[in-house]
């Protein structure tokens, strides 16, 4: 296995290198700035002196003339010594020197290489390596007394240290600065490395990366959509299934952008805790759950899960079928036991004729109902649901009638058996519950459907609702029974009907009963 460098060692090495580079670059930059500042100040001083020299009448009148150096040299040297510059050189238009600190150079031709522009009546500052060393030189043209014709050039030079010279001069200081910075960097890096290790639970970076890859792989392979957010609602992670469901990526800034046309965009997700709340995304219904995430009692974000409701219904249909069958068998067993007790009592009393009549009546009623449902309701899950609800009604003392105009030949395209079970089951259960407080308990339903049309209505003789109550019946969590864990059924029905572009109408009067109608067409 390849040996890995530990995090603490990496931090020490990188910090030391960074500090050394920083100190060295800072030192070089400082020396360069000092050198540039010196050169600028020296250049301004040199050009001011050169202008003064170039304006002297003794120099303007003698430069370029035979024997002029005898007049110019003393003047130039006197000014050089009084201004503490390194040299003042006066040139005629043929570049002949008329003054110089070293008298041996007087009369010789000036060949600095940077003087050409000065003979075109231009003044400037130049940096060059002259006879006496590196210098800042100011070139100023000398004009005749009328100021019309140029007669020479005044050159004032001041020796200045360049960057190379400064490095030689201050190399010891720079070395000790590097050494001190290195020691400080090592101590700081040691504390930093220990703090980082503590924050990462003593894990090395490659161990953290492996854990992250494992968790990410697990999240991506789950069969539900997963979205993680921070405490401000910004998306930090989405698995592939969530991206498919929402047509978004984890680069999307916030949940408001993902759910911009749904109720979730108007909620504070960080304050929510939901389980299997229906939501419409791109024409498909999903079940949304929201779970707050806490780390050491601090809220750090939320976890959202999305599950395709049709997939959940496929499982739900199996579970619901078993549940309804068990409920129907229990109700039928309870009802048949009562009948058997009645028949047994009649036999004991010697009322054989009445006992036979009761047996024939009960058998006939059940056979007629089962035959009607079998011939008119082609979906076995729906027919089983209706039979189960009828047995449940007998338990509750409710008269439950299925109108003879009922039929279900096929289902509207896009409307699954699970959707029909949700609609029919919830509306019938609500009708049963509405009759609890009434003496006359009767519920009547009508179901009709084919490939292009679905209709279901249920009417009860229950307590009814006021207009104000009708305005809230489809709200999540609202229930006229004022009980916990209620107020979900009608919301599910409304979501299914809206998704299929159908209509649901509920009419009711207080103490006069309620009628609910659902219409879905292709």
């Amino acid at each position: 296995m390849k040996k890995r460098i530990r995090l603490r060692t990496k931090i020490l090495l990188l910090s030391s290198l960074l500090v050394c580079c920083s100190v060295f670059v800072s030192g070089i930059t400082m020396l360069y700035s000092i050198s540039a500042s010196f050169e600028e100040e020296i250049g301004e001083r040199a050009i001011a002196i050169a202008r003064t020299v170039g304006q002297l009448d003794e120099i303007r009148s003698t430069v370029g003339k035979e024997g002029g150096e005898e007049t110019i040299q003393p003047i130039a040297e006197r000014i050089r010594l009084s201004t503490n510059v390194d040299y003042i050189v006066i040139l005629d238009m043929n570049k002949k020197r008329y003054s110089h600190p070293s008298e041996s150079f007087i009369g010789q031709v000036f060949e600095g290489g940077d003087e050409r522009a000065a003979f075109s009546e231009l003044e400037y500052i130049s940096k060059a390596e002259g006879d006496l060393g590196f210098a800042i030189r100011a070139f100023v043209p000398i004009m005749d007394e009328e100021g019309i014709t140029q007669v020479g050039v005044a050159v004032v030079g001041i020796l200045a240290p360049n960057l190379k010279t400064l490095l030689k001069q201050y190399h010891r200081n720079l070395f000790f600065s590097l050494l001190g910075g290195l020691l400080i960097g090592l101590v700081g890096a040691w504390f930093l490395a220990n703090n980082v290790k503590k924050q990462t639970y003593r894990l090395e970076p490659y161990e953290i990366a492996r854990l992250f890859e494992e968790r990410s792989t697990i999240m991506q392979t789950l069969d539900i959509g997963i979205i993680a957010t921070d405490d401000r609602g910004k998306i930090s992670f989405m698995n592939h299934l969530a991206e498919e469901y929402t047509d978004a990526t984890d680069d999307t800034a916030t949940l408001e952008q993902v759910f911009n046309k749904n109720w979730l965009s108007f909620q504070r997700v960080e304050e929510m805790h939901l389980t299997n709340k229906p939501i419409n995304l791109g024409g498909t219904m999903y079940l949304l759950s929201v779970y707050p995430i806490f780390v050491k009692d601090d809220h750090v974000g939320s976890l959202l899960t999305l599950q395709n409701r049709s997939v959940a219904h496929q499982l739900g249909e199996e579970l619901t079928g078993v549940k309804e069958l068990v409920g129907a068998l229990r109700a039928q067993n309870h009802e048949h036991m009562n009948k058997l007790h009645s028949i047994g009592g009649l036999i004991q009393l010697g009322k054989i004729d009445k006992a036979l009549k009761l047996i024939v009546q009960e058998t006939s009623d059940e056979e007629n109902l089962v035959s009607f449902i079998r011939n008119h309701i082609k979906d076995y899950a729906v027919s089983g649901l209706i039979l189960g609800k009828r047995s449940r009604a007998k338990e509750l003392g409710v008269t439950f009638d299925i109108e003879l105009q009922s039929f279900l030949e096929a289902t509207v395209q896009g409307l699954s058996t699970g959707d029909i079970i949700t609609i029919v089951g919830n509306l019938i259960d609500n009708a049963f519950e509405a009759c609890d407080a009434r003496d006359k308990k009767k519920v009547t339903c009508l179901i009709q459907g084919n490939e292009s049309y679905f209709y279901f209505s249920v009417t009860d003789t229950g307590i009814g609702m006021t207009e104000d109550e009708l305005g809230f019946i489809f709200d999540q969590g609202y229930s006229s029974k004022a009980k916990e864990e209620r107020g979900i059924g009608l919301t599910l029905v409304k979501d299914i009907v809206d998704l299929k572009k159908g209509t649901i109408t509920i009419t009711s009067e207080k103490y006069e009963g309620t009628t609910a109608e659902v219409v879905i067409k292709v």
Side-chain angles (χ1 to χ4, degrees):
M1 182 177 178
K2 184 179 179 180
K3 188 175 181 180
R4 301 175 185 269
I5 301 177
R6 299 178 65 84
L7 178 62
R8 182 183 287 110
T9 304
K10 286 183 180 180
I11 293 178
L12 289 174
L13 292 175
L14 292 176
S15 298
S16 301
L17 180 62
L18 180 62
V19 169
C20 289
C21 292
S22 299
V23 172
F24 181 77
V25 172
S26 298
I28 297 298
T29 303
M30 181 182 66
L31 293 177
Y32 180 81
S33 298
I34 293 173
S35 176
S37 179
F38 281 164
E39 291 176 0
E40 182 180 0
E41 183 180 350
I42 290 171
E44 292 177 355
R45 179 182 168 207
I47 201 165
I49 295 172
R51 288 171 182 167
T52 301
V53 172
Q55 294 293 325
L56 295 176
D57 292 335
E58 293 88 343
I59 293 179
R60 289 196 298 182
S61 61
T62 57
V63 65
K65 295 182 179 179
E66 188 70 26
E69 64 273 8
E70 296 179 0
T71 302
I72 294 174
Q73 174 68 3
I75 296 173
E77 281 300 293
R78 186 169 62 252
I79 295 174
R80 182 181 70 82
L81 294 174
S82 62
T83 56
N84 195 29
V85 298
D86 292 291
Y87 58 83
I88 297 177
V89 178
I90 305 298
L91 307 175
D92 62 10
M93 296 303 291
N94 295 318
K95 302 183 182 181
K96 177 182 176 182
R97 294 187 179 94
Y98 282 75
S99 66
H100 197 278
S102 298
E103 294 186 0
S104 60
F105 286 94
I106 296 175
Q108 296 183 9
V109 176
F110 183 87
E111 295 181 352
D114 55 350
E115 72 282 359
R116 180 175 301 177
F119 291 93
S120 299
E121 301 183 9
L122 296 177
E123 65 177 32
Y124 55 92
I125 297 172
S126 174
K127 304 174 188 178
E129 190 77 28
D131 296 326
L132 301 179
F134 179 79
I136 305 298
R137 303 196 292 200
F139 290 85
V140 175
I142 301 174
M143 308 302 290
D144 60 11
E145 295 179 356
E146 289 77 15
I148 298 175
T149 305
Q150 182 177 357
V151 295
V153 175
V155 183
V156 175
I158 302 176
L159 298 179
N162 55 15
L163 183 60
K164 183 178 180 181
T165 305
L166 289 174
L167 282 174
K168 289 181 179 179
Q169 184 177 353
Y170 294 104
H171 71 279
R172 287 181 177 272
N173 294 340
L174 185 60
F175 172 77
F176 286 115
S177 297
L178 286 172
L179 182 60
L182 179 60
L183 292 176
I184 294 174
L186 288 173
V187 174
W190 178 264
F191 284 106
L192 175 62
N194 285 335
N195 183 262
V196 170
K197 290 287 287 185
K198 182 179 179 181
Q199 294 294 324
T200 57
Y201 299 96
R202 302 294 173 182
L203 294 175
E204 294 295 324
Y206 65 88
E207 294 174 321
I208 297 174
R210 188 182 66 231
L211 287 175
F212 175 80
E213 291 174 356
E214 290 175 354
R215 300 298 187 272
S216 179
T217 302
I218 292 172
M219 294 297 184
Q220 296 293 355
T221 54
L222 291 176
D223 60 352
I224 60 174
I226 296 178
I227 302 175
T229 71
D230 60 18
D231 57 346
R232 294 173 294 178
K234 184 177 179 181
I235 294 175
S236 57
F237 174 80
M238 293 180 73
N239 68 355
H240 297 322
L241 207 55
E243 293 177 359
E244 178 183 339
Y245 289 165
T246 60
D247 291 330
T249 65
D250 55 5
D251 295 330
T252 306
T254 61
L255 289 176
E256 285 78 2
Q257 295 175 326
V258 176
F259 300 97
N260 60 351
K261 295 181 180 179
N262 287 282
W263 54 266
L264 186 62
S265 62
F266 304 102
Q267 308 291 325
R268 287 183 61 83
V269 175
E270 56 270 24
E271 299 177 354
M272 300 175 67
H273 188 173
L274 298 176
T275 302
N276 293 332
K277 163 71 175 178
I279 189 169
N280 186 350
L281 295 175
T284 303
M285 292 296 296
Y286 297 94
L287 298 178
L288 171 70
S289 297
V290 181
Y291 307 96
I293 302 173
F294 293 91
V295 176
K296 296 181 179 179
D297 296 329
D298 293 329
H299 180 260
V300 297
S302 298
L303 176 69
L304 290 78
T305 63
L306 286 168
Q307 186 173 13
N308 192 315
R309 202 181 69 174
S310 63
V311 176
H313 266 306
Q314 290 177 0
L315 298 175
E317 285 174 8
E318 298 177 8
L319 296 176
T320 301
V322 172
K323 183 178 179 181
E324 293 292 346
L325 180 58
V326 171
L329 290 174
R330 181 177 59 82
Q332 289 178 358
N333 179 65
H334 182 73
E335 182 186 2
H336 289 164
M337 287 298 295
N338 289 334
K339 297 294 184 181
L340 288 174
H341 290 159
S342 298
I343 294 170
L346 289 172
I347 292 173
Q348 287 180 355
L349 294 173
K351 305 294 184 179
I352 305 299
D353 292 337
K354 290 186 177 181
L356 290 173
K357 183 178 180 181
L358 181 60
I359 294 172
V360 172
Q361 181 183 354
E362 181 65 21
T363 305
S364 176
D365 290 342
E366 287 298 321
E367 286 181 352
N368 290 337
L369 178 62
V370 172
S371 177
F372 174 82
I373 292 177
R374 182 174 62 246
N375 294 329
H376 292 79
I377 308 299
K378 302 300 184 182
D379 192 314
Y380 294 131
V382 178
S383 60
L385 175 67
I386 294 175
L387 286 173
K389 294 302 181 185
R390 181 176 180 276
S391 298
R392 176 61 177 163
K394 289 182 179 181
E395 275 191 331
L396 298 173
V398 177
T399 301
F400 182 52
D401 293 333
I402 298 95
E403 294 191 10
L404 297 178
Q405 295 85 1
S406 296
F407 67 90
L408 186 62
E409 298 174 351
T411 57
V412 175
Q413 183 178 3
L415 187 67
S416 67
T417 298
D419 292 333
I420 296 176
I421 289 175
T422 300
I423 294 172
V424 173
N426 280 290
L427 292 180
I428 292 177
D429 284 342
N430 286 346
F432 287 169
E433 292 175 2
C435 296
D436 281 347
R438 304 287 284 175
D439 294 330
K440 182 182 178 181
K441 302 178 181 181
K442 183 176 181 180
V443 174
T444 304
C445 73
L446 171 64
I447 182 170
Q448 296 177 337
N450 52 34
E451 294 87 353
S452 60
Y453 175 81
F454 174 79
Y455 174 84
F456 178 74
S457 69
V458 60
T459 302
D460 63 68
T461 59
I463 59 174
M465 290 179 285
T466 63
E467 291 186 5
D468 291 338
E469 290 174 331
L470 286 172
F472 296 99
I473 58 175
F474 295 118
D475 291 349
Q476 175 86 3
Y478 176 80
S479 173
S480 61
K481 304 298 180 184
K483 298 179 181 178
E484 295 182 357
E485 302 298 327
R486 301 299 297 274
I488 299 175
L490 282 178
T491 302
L492 293 175
V493 173
K494 183 69 163 56
D495 287 337
I496 294 173
V497 173
D498 289 345
L499 181 61
K500 307 307 178 185
K501 296 182 173 57
T503 59
I504 178 170
T505 306
I506 296 181
T507 56
S508 182
E509 291 183 13
K510 197 64 176 179
Y511 306 112
E512 294 295 329
T514 302
T515 298
E517 292 183 308
V518 173
V519 179
I520 299 174
K521 298 180 181 179
V522 175

